[in-house]
Amino acid sequence: MASPDPRRLSLNTATVKEQWTLAQAIEGCARHGIRGIAPWRDKLAELGLQKAVSLIKAHDLRVTGLCRGGFFTAKDWLDDNRRAIEEAHELQADCLVLVVGGLPAGSKDLGKARERIRESIALILPEAQAAGVPLAIEPLHPMQAADRACVNTLEQALDLCDALGEGIGVAVDVYHVWWDPKLEEQIARAGRKRILGYHICDWLVPTRDLLNDRGMMGDGVIDLPRIRGSIEAAGYAGMHEVEIFSERDWWRRDADEVLRICRERFASVT
Ligand code: ZN
């Protein structure tokens, strides 16, 4: 399989969040020839939305996603999601990534939580569409169903999309979905229309932390070329966003080294 086009590489800023501010990440991408960026909203708030918009524009980067909206089972979800939509609009982001939220405190009712998520997305979807912001549901690995997202498979996310209609799709993050026996059929089902983002990293064996022990592409067990093949066969033509939460390794390294290795591995193992 041919290497992916290096111009399709994007950096999710979580990958260097301990080392760099958003301004540094934008400049780092430009320096390393990385053409896309996906900022997190805490870093965006630090820099200021308008400054971020002009810096991203000055370096001609594409915003492959804004992280994140969602958490629909939290108390202040509506205002927070409205702000996120506005920010994604200003950034002209390809999508607003939704991490939908887990069980409300004290609840054991997964069905009810999932129902609330569907209703909440239905409420904000017209506002997102009016703002020209596609919403991307990111199914999360089931180990995070309780605390972060109780939408856990691509099939479940696509069923939600089908129920909700236009203006919504999915972010396919290999870390969360690589194990799924229905992955390929569901990627094909999603097609170009529903796949709004593609996130890459690797699954380490052993994994030492549920959230912050992701691996660099090539260091784990995910068959990245195979998944890329499915994504491309489905018609996805967007960017490939490196997203690595790594308390013990990549967050401790020099960020320029991290970006250099991201570029190398993107070309050699994905
Ligand atoms: Zn992701």
Side-chain angles (χ1 to χ4, degrees):
M1 193 171 179
S3 294
D5 182 341
R7 289 170 302 182
R8 304 272 293 274
L9 178 62
S10 174
L11 178 76
N12 184 298
T13 62
T15 308
V16 288
K17 74 169 200 169
E18 296 297 326
Q19 300 99 317
W20 277 351
T21 63
L22 179 54
Q24 288 173 306
I26 293 166
E27 284 155 5
C29 283
R31 203 161 54 242
H32 288 269
I34 294 173
R35 313 288 304 274
I37 192 162
W40 280 69
R41 293 178 62 216
D42 53 342
K43 298 273 185 178
L44 185 62
E46 255 172 45
L47 177 61
L49 180 59
Q50 289 315 321
K51 272 189 195 159
V53 167
S54 58
L55 203 53
I56 286 168
K57 198 172 172 194
H59 290 290
D60 197 24
L61 300 181
R62 175 164 160 190
V63 177
T64 52
L66 176 64
C67 293
R68 57 181 160 52
F71 279 85
F72 299 111
T73 48
K75 275 207 178 74
D76 66 339
W77 71 270
L78 184 54
D79 287 345
D80 190 58
N81 278 279
R82 284 181 168 149
R83 279 194 298 275
I85 289 168
E86 176 61 27
E87 291 164 13
H89 169 78
E90 292 289 323
L91 290 165
Q92 298 179 311
D94 287 350
C95 62
L96 172 63
V97 173
L98 301 181
V99 172
V100 299
L103 287 169
S107 170
K108 294 183 181 180
D109 195 340
L110 258 182
K112 197 170 156 193
R114 288 170 172 155
E115 183 59 24
R116 194 151 130 193
I117 285 158
R118 191 183 57 73
E119 290 167 3
S120 304
I121 300 176
L123 191 68
I124 60 162
L125 184 55
E127 297 177 31
Q129 280 184 292
V133 174
L135 298 178
I137 300 170
E138 182 164 329
L140 259 52
H141 193 284
M143 69 182 170
Q144 293 176 343
D147 57 346
R148 299 179 66 77
C150 55
V151 172
N152 306 104
T153 65
L154 206 48
E155 181 173 37
Q156 203 187 348
L158 290 167
D159 286 349
L160 256 177
C161 291
D162 287 350
L164 289 160
E166 300 293 311
I168 187 145
V170 294
V172 177
D173 186 324
V174 297
Y175 194 72
H176 295 299
V177 300
W178 70 277
W179 56 273
D180 185 347
K182 290 186 176 173
L183 181 60
E184 289 181 6
E185 77 176 54
Q186 293 300 316
I187 286 174
R189 170 189 171 193
R192 189 189 185 108
K193 179 182 163 200
R194 294 288 195 204
I195 303 173
L196 302 178
Y198 180 49
H199 303 173
I200 54 175
C201 66
D202 215 330
W203 182 279
L204 299 176
V205 180
T207 285
R208 300 158 296 179
D209 182 283
L210 297 189
L211 190 61
N212 295 325
D213 195 27
R214 294 186 180 208
M216 175 64 67
M217 296 82 76
D219 289 345
V221 296
I222 300 179
D223 189 345
L224 289 161
R226 188 183 175 103
I227 300 178
R228 174 163 69 93
S230 304
I231 291 278
E232 288 175 350
Y236 179 72
M239 295 182 92
H240 301 208
E241 190 181 305
V242 177
E243 185 182 34
I244 303 174
F245 299 81
S246 173
E247 210 147 44
R248 301 178 193 211
D249 190 351
W250 299 96
W251 287 347
R252 297 185 181 191
R253 301 202 193 194
D254 175 70
D256 279 299
E257 179 196 345
V258 177
L259 264 57
R260 188 176 51 72
I261 295 172
C262 284
R263 267 198 69 115
E264 282 171 16
R265 297 290 181 86
F266 181 59
S268 61
V269 302
T270 75

